[in-house]
Amino acid sequence: MYLGVKWSPPKEEVNFIMAFTNNRKVLDFVEKSAQLAMPDKIVWIDGSEAQLAALREEAVKTGEMIELNQEKLPGCYYHRTAKNDVARVEDRTFICCKKEEDAGPINYWMDPEKAYKLCGEIARGKMKGRTMYVIPYSMGVVGSPFSKIGVEVTDSIYVVLNMAIMTRVGLDCYAALGEDGDFIKGFHCKCDVDPEKRYIMHFPEDDTIISVNSAYGGNVLLGKKCFALRIASYLGKQEGWMAEHMLILGVTFPNGEKHYVAAAFPSACGKTNLAMLIPPKHYLEKGYKVETVGDDIAWIRVGKDGRLWAVNPENGFFGVAPGTNEKSNPNALAATKRGTIFTNVAINPEDNTVWWEGLTKPAPAKLIDWLGNPWTPESGVKAAHPNSRFTAPAVNCPCLSPEFDSKEGVPLDAIIFGGRRASTTPLVYQSRDWDHGVFVGSIMSSETTAAATGAVGVLRHDPMAMKPFCGYHMADYFGHWIEMGKKIENPPKIFNVNWFRQDENGEFLWPGFGDNMRVLEWILKRCAGTVDAQETAIGYVPYAKDIDLEGLDYSKETLERILYVDKARWAAEAEEIEGYYEQFGDRLPKELRASLETLKKNCAN
Ligand code: GTP
Ligand code: SPV
Ligand code: MN
């Protein structure tokens, strides 16, 4: 039984000659998907450039994609989604485990049987007149002990082409599976792109994902948030590893030493930017270098050496376009110059290139906005959707780490949490130890962004930046972090940063972007034990003198202001956290409760 449909296939209707695999589970999954959605045709994606080129051509013919200026942007295409389909839909994203209590208070839950039936009814016959594409893909380098294979079926060429950038698509995935290997099943059907019937369902106990009535990024590129975070976090808990919403970067010191950090910030809160940062001039002159291993997802295991090792399971960047420019993130911009798909940005009709808010100042005089309407700077609306994105191959990134393809990943010196907080949270602080670091991650709050539907700028808890992405009970996830800590002989140090402190006029108090290197340096010095810190109610905070301000027109007073730990505010924060923790009941690890008590005590005296 799959999707509520009994299987009685007229086999000759389905093209299995081109299946490329004798894995009976793959064949069964594809058969059942076809039986349900009734496509006219099945196309088995092999990942070859010839096949992808033909699909691009077809998508341009049907209007699904627009070919951009091939001289200025070779291999680049443009896609517009439906107006109602521009971001992840958290309230329509479900964890469908057997017991409701296992999904926890933070996830939306649906009974698996009900969810299969509902989606079965919605998707039945919806691929009639369409083609179903079968995409074999690997999250991580094929053959790495970290990696896992998925197969996504979809009726969208846009999905095929994006998956071919974001993951490792190819027949070697079938070879890795063999005749009997298991994989994550992903069924996607855009159906009628009806927001009322849009569902993103996860069945962690069945290794299955179903997505219907959307054709947007995180809802439909099933290898990404659905598999690599929601399903993988569940697998990680079972198998003793971690799937996190984290960037991974490497810092090379002037003496040649390399150190790696992973950082969890909520959606549209600066992961891509930090991962690709270019250090200030005097750091470059001294020989510092920052390289990107990943910008969104990290799979992390304990290595033989008792350290944590991280890989980026993705193969591309699905990055926020607005705000990306030559100054803020030249590396990301360079990555979008070839082989990239742009979604919901604006088009400059003069030369058939792309534009978004913040790319250039002033804006071009005339554009076609993300809705397809003529636009001028006087229009009074945004030309690009605030969650418009680029899908760029990782290999394009000038600062891509040589360790990007490493099968073992990179060893972590530090884990950094961070959110978008106008007040309270200082620029940076260090936790006292692993368990306290888990507490620091668990109490993260951040203002919402355009990455998900709903209001923007609302402060909410987003523990470890995983609120929308944890595939099981959040308190059990905290417990898993605590348990992992016991297995790591040489744990990374855990920090929290906040690039988003604001003054009374709503202006950011910290320059951010490349200047975040100054904070990274302090963090790595703390890891090496070469810089002192002041102990405060919330953890260790830098002495202002230890944050390098060379080459920056920045007052020591402002720095002191954003490093200051205001006990009264933190006492209020602790009280708020107490209320927030209540929903976890007895499942909340005692270590976290103890850390909360310490915080309360520290703020009281
Ligand atoms: P997802 O892909 O949604 O997971 O997001 P992300 O965490 O990779 O976010 P990204 O780096 O794309 O940043 C999103 C927004 O944050 C953009 O508008 C950036 O301009 C802004 N931003 C990033 N870094 C900084 C910073 O250091 N300071 C300030 N003020 N803004 C930043
Ligand atoms: C996020 O929202 O955190 C993203 C974009 O990285 S999406 O893939 O749409 O989830
Ligand atoms: Mn993300």
Side-chain angles (χ1 to χ4, degrees):
M1 192 88 150
Y2 171 69
L3 297 176
V5 178
K6 282 213 185 89
W7 174 236
S8 55
K11 277 218 166 154
E12 54 284 4
E13 275 185 14
V14 178
N15 175 11
F16 278 91
I17 296 162
M18 295 296 286
F20 298 120
T21 176
N22 56 1
N23 181 296
R24 56 181 180 80
K25 295 170 188 167
V26 172
L27 296 175
D28 186 55
F29 167 61
V30 173
E31 272 185 9
K32 285 177 177 160
S33 300
Q35 170 72 3
L36 172 74
M38 303 177 200
D40 284 9
K41 191 162 87 161
I42 294 180
V43 169
W44 296 80
I45 298 298
D46 60 17
S48 67
E49 183 44 39
Q51 192 185 41
L52 296 175
L55 287 174
R56 281 179 211 118
E57 200 175 307
E58 192 180 335
V60 168
K61 236 185 253 159
T62 62
E64 188 176 352
M65 296 207 307
I66 293 171
E67 189 179 71
L68 293 165
N69 183 325
Q70 293 299 298
E71 262 159 44
K72 291 189 175 171
L73 297 168
C76 292
Y77 292 81
Y78 177 86
H79 176 75
R80 228 172 239 134
T81 66
K83 189 180 173 181
N84 67 37
D85 190 28
V86 294
R88 284 182 292 100
V89 280
E90 295 185 358
D91 55 344
R92 308 195 71 93
T93 297
F94 290 83
I95 301 300
C96 309
C97 44
K98 284 198 196 75
K99 289 195 212 140
E100 181 170 5
E101 68 252 36
D102 290 342
I106 281 186
N107 280 313
Y108 293 92
W109 174 83
M110 197 183 288
D111 172 65
E113 223 167 279
K114 186 176 158 200
Y116 280 126
K117 190 156 175 288
L118 177 64
C119 290
E121 279 161 12
I122 289 173
R124 181 162 301 136
K126 286 293 183 193
M127 290 191 196
K128 274 184 193 160
R130 300 181 189 172
T131 300
M132 185 172 89
Y133 302 93
V134 182
I135 314 167
Y137 66 96
S138 176
M139 298 313 291
V141 182
V142 180
S144 152
F146 275 91
S147 298
K148 296 205 179 274
I149 306 276
V151 176
E152 175 168 356
V153 299
T154 177
D155 55 350
S156 159
I157 294 181
Y158 172 76
V159 167
V160 175
L161 296 175
N162 273 274
M163 286 292 285
I165 297 171
M166 292 306 298
T167 74
R168 291 164 172 91
V169 169
L171 298 181
D172 50 347
C173 297
Y174 291 137
L177 279 182
E179 274 183 38
D180 197 43
D182 288 309
F183 58 96
I184 304 298
K185 301 184 269 291
F187 174 92
H188 167 245
C189 182
K190 60 189 173 193
C191 301
D192 310 307
V193 198
D194 177 353
E196 301 302 320
K197 292 186 181 160
R198 186 168 296 154
Y199 291 99
I200 321 298
M201 306 284 204
H202 304 75
F203 304 84
E205 290 150 356
D206 303 345
D207 290 343
T208 299
I209 303 155
I210 300 174
S211 165
V212 289
N213 276 300
S214 175
Y216 179 79
N219 297 329
V220 299
L221 309 179
L222 301 185
K224 195 171 175 58
K225 298 301 161 81
C226 300
F227 172 175
L229 287 178
R230 299 195 190 95
I231 299 286
S233 61
Y234 173 83
L235 293 175
K237 160 102 170 122
Q238 316 295 311
E239 299 167 4
W241 55 282
M242 305 161 94
E244 301 297 335
H245 192 201
M246 288 180 180
L247 68 91
I248 309 164
L249 65 78
V251 179
T252 308
F253 281 69
N255 66 4
E257 259 180 49
K258 278 194 180 191
H259 294 277
Y260 296 92
V261 309
F265 309 154
S267 303
C269 288
K271 289 184 299 301
T272 304
N273 279 277
L274 188 68
M276 299 180 189
L277 84 75
I278 296 182
K281 199 159 145 267
H282 72 287
Y283 282 93
L284 294 174
E285 284 165 2
K286 279 190 229 163
Y288 283 91
K289 192 163 72 179
V290 170
E291 288 168 322
T292 311
V293 181
D295 82 326
D296 197 48
I297 298 175
W299 283 1
I300 305 174
R301 288 172 195 268
V302 185
K304 288 192 193 82
D305 57 357
R307 304 180 70 189
L308 275 187
W309 288 71
V311 298
N312 167 17
E314 300 193 282
N315 203 26
F317 307 117
F318 186 58
V320 178
T324 307
N325 60 49
E326 207 44 77
K327 192 162 172 283
S328 67
N329 194 345
N331 285 315
L333 200 59
T336 67
K337 295 298 181 195
R338 56 179 62 239
T340 292
I341 299 171
F342 296 91
T343 303
N344 292 342
V345 299
I347 289 192
N348 187 340
E350 196 177 285
D351 61 355
N352 195 26
T353 58
V354 287
W355 192 84
W356 48 78
E357 274 67 22
L359 177 61
T360 54
K361 275 199 181 103
K366 280 191 184 146
L367 294 168
I368 308 293
D369 72 11
W370 71 276
L371 290 163
N373 299 321
W375 182 96
T376 68
E378 289 75 45
S379 293
V381 292
K382 297 236 192 283
H385 187 276
N387 191 38
S388 54
R389 299 215 171 218
F390 51 80
T391 315
V395 289
N396 285 3
C397 181
C399 60
L400 193 69
S401 165
E403 300 302 319
F404 173 73
D405 273 329
S406 156
K407 288 185 174 156
E408 285 73 39
V410 295
L412 299 178
D413 280 11
I415 286 177
I416 306 173
F417 295 119
R420 204 178 262 271
R421 291 292 304 263
S423 73
T424 313
T425 311
L427 178 65
V428 56
Y429 70 101
Q430 182 188 356
S431 67
R432 290 182 291 271
D433 54 29
W434 179 270
D435 285 358
H436 179 233
V438 177
F439 171 75
V440 168
S442 80
I443 64 164
M444 261 170 74
S445 294
S446 192
E447 288 147 26
T448 51
T449 65
T453 56
V456 168
V458 179
L459 188 65
R460 69 168 189 186
H461 282 282
D462 191 347
M464 280 84 166
M466 283 289 279
K467 180 195 182 307
F469 308 120
C470 182
Y472 59 103
H473 196 297
M474 190 58 82
D476 295 354
Y477 166 83
F478 296 155
H480 181 48
W481 268 80
I482 297 284
E483 285 310 307
M484 287 295 294
K486 294 177 186 158
K487 291 186 211 159
I488 316 165
E489 257 168 72
N490 305 302
K493 305 262 189 293
I494 300 180
F495 298 80
N496 193 89
V497 299
N498 178 17
W499 313 139
F500 299 94
R501 278 288 287 269
Q502 291 177 15
D503 66 12
E504 299 69 23
N505 306 316
E507 299 289 332
F508 291 120
L509 282 163
W510 175 249
F513 300 97
D515 288 309
N516 293 331
M517 180 67 199
R518 302 168 192 275
V519 176
L520 264 186
E521 187 194 19
W522 183 82
I523 286 173
L524 289 169
K525 277 186 174 165
R526 286 296 293 168
C527 294
T530 55
V531 68
D532 218 357
Q534 42 183 335
E535 192 160 6
T536 73
I538 61 171
Y540 301 104
V541 172
Y543 291 106
K545 68 172 173 53
D546 292 326
I547 300 288
D548 178 356
L549 295 180
E550 190 182 327
L552 196 63
D553 183 15
Y554 196 76
S555 79
K556 193 145 172 267
E557 290 69 48
T558 313
L559 181 60
E560 270 163 1
R561 178 171 167 195
I562 61 174
L563 289 175
Y564 180 63
V565 176
D566 183 331
K567 276 201 207 172
R569 275 184 185 273
W570 276 97
E573 186 94 358
E575 205 169 302
E576 195 278 332
I577 293 163
E578 184 135 47
Y580 158 72
Y581 268 180
E582 255 166 40
Q583 64 188 316
F584 303 121
D586 292 347
R587 273 167 112 136
L588 188 81
K590 62 178 190 321
E591 292 83 354
L592 300 193
R593 206 168 286 287
S595 281
L596 177 58
E597 290 312 314
T598 306
L599 176 63
K600 278 171 28 189
K601 205 173 75 219
N602 289 352
C603 293
N605 51 43

